[in-house]
Amino acid sequence: MSLLSSLYSYAAEKLKSLILTILAAGPIPKHVAFIMDGNRRYARSHNIRVPLGHESGFMALRQVLEVCLRLNIRCVSVYAFAIENFKRPEDEIDALMDLAEHRLVELCSHGDLLEQYGVRLNVVGCTSLLPERVQVVIRKAEKMTQDGDKAILNLCMPYASRDEIATAVESAINSVDGDPRPTITEDMIHAHLPSVQAGSPPLDILVRTSGVKRLSDYMLWQCCENTQIHFSSVYWPDYGLWDFLPVLLDYQRKVWCM
């Protein structure tokens, strides 16, 4: 790296730290969720293979997650793989499973991001649908971070909000087993949502990238009341602090105006 490049990187990091320090002085959301959309279109626009687009998406996740953790955001949830994604081409699914297998433990390893910030990893979704090799890695990664008590990362895969709600309703019914006519309330369903049982606070902000303006069966229950929803035209691999900054400033403005 040249001297000029080193100076530029140093200045950029100092500016980033200053911005995060200023932001942290204001109200900070407790829970932010991301629909990480646009990896495939990013790959096509850069004339690279789709698996490399997903790899770039993982690197973007690391960067955005670090920003959130430096701001002391208590919980980050990311839509990593939808149940519907199993309908994609087999080679793309295999590449995504390889990425999960190779990167999950790396993310949780000694000295890496999650350990550095005391983050507990929860994989939320119907994990029984995943290949056994990925399930093994998930159990290992969750065990490696089980003592994290400063923040939570919910990795939603394979996930669908309707599946989560149905699971919560079934769990709520089972909790009152023996009652022939159980009364199931909203509070009971909420308490039995897997993401809530993982310790997640109420969802403050939901961000979707790539210009698509729909929720795609993600956290429909959690974002139905007070969640601020933001749509960004940026593909997920390109998403970073400068894209997230207006979202945080908008959140702070609305909190101050309440």
Side-chain angles (χ1 to χ4, degrees):
M1 181 181 294
S2 67
L3 177 60
L4 183 61
S5 297
S6 298
L7 289 173
Y8 176 81
S9 297
Y10 176 79
E13 181 57 35
K14 285 295 183 182
L15 177 60
K16 178 179 177 180
S17 296
L18 176 62
I19 290 172
L20 293 178
T21 299
I22 295 171
L23 280 173
I28 294 297
K30 292 182 175 64
H31 186 181
V32 178
F34 296 95
I35 300 177
M36 305 183 295
D37 194 21
N39 291 346
R40 293 190 295 172
R41 278 167 285 168
Y42 172 88
R44 286 194 290 268
S45 68
H46 287 73
N47 294 314
I48 59 176
R49 295 168 52 245
V50 169
L52 293 178
H54 291 303
E55 181 71 36
S56 298
F58 172 79
M59 299 310 297
L61 170 59
R62 287 184 62 98
Q63 295 170 9
V64 172
L65 180 59
E66 183 174 15
V67 168
C68 292
L69 295 174
R70 288 173 66 173
L71 286 170
N72 293 317
I73 293 174
R74 168 67 181 168
C75 180
V76 177
S77 297
V78 294
Y79 203 1
F81 191 83
I83 291 177
E84 284 290 310
N85 288 158
F86 281 114
K87 296 179 181 179
R88 290 183 178 181
E90 186 175 347
D91 59 342
E92 182 180 351
I93 295 173
D94 289 342
L96 281 165
M97 295 301 106
D98 289 342
L99 180 63
E101 184 179 10
H102 296 146
R103 294 298 191 179
L104 260 179
V105 172
E106 174 190 312
L107 192 64
C108 305
S109 63
H110 179 70
D112 212 301
L113 196 61
L114 300 195
E115 185 188 57
Q116 180 182 348
Y117 288 96
V119 182
R120 186 176 77 251
L121 172 71
N122 301 309
V123 178
V124 178
C126 194
T127 56
S128 61
L129 298 177
L130 297 170
E132 178 60 27
R133 61 189 173 94
V134 179
Q135 293 183 46
V136 169
V137 169
I138 287 172
R139 290 191 292 269
K140 181 177 181 180
E142 289 182 326
K143 185 175 181 180
M144 290 171 69
T145 64
Q146 63 185 356
D147 295 326
D149 58 359
K150 293 184 175 63
I152 296 168
L153 171 61
N154 292 321
L155 193 63
C156 300
M157 63 173 290
Y159 177 91
S161 188
R162 288 171 293 178
D163 176 75
E164 183 182 29
I165 294 170
T167 299
V169 171
E170 182 180 14
S171 180
I173 292 172
N174 291 337
S175 72
V176 290
D177 188 32
D179 187 341
R181 299 182 64 183
T183 300
I184 304 300
T185 66
E186 288 185 19
D187 288 343
M188 290 176 66
I189 295 173
H190 179 82
H192 284 85
L193 290 169
S195 58
V196 172
Q197 291 183 321
S200 307
L203 182 60
D204 297 309
I205 296 174
L206 175 67
V207 176
R208 178 171 188 154
T209 57
S210 86
V212 176
K213 297 182 178 179
R214 60 175 183 266
L215 298 182
S216 296
D217 205 8
Y218 187 58
M219 292 203 165
L220 303 182
W221 182 285
Q222 292 88 335
C223 70
C224 68
E225 190 173 357
N226 296 318
T227 304
Q228 296 180 19
I229 300 175
H230 295 263
F231 297 103
S232 170
S233 60
V234 176
Y235 294 148
W236 175 252
D238 285 328
Y239 195 84
L241 173 60
W242 304 114
D243 306 290
F244 192 34
L245 180 59
V247 174
L248 293 169
L249 290 174
D250 185 60
Y251 173 83
Q252 293 185 336
R253 178 183 63 81
K254 289 177 179 176
V255 170
W256 279 322
C257 291
M258 290 177 65

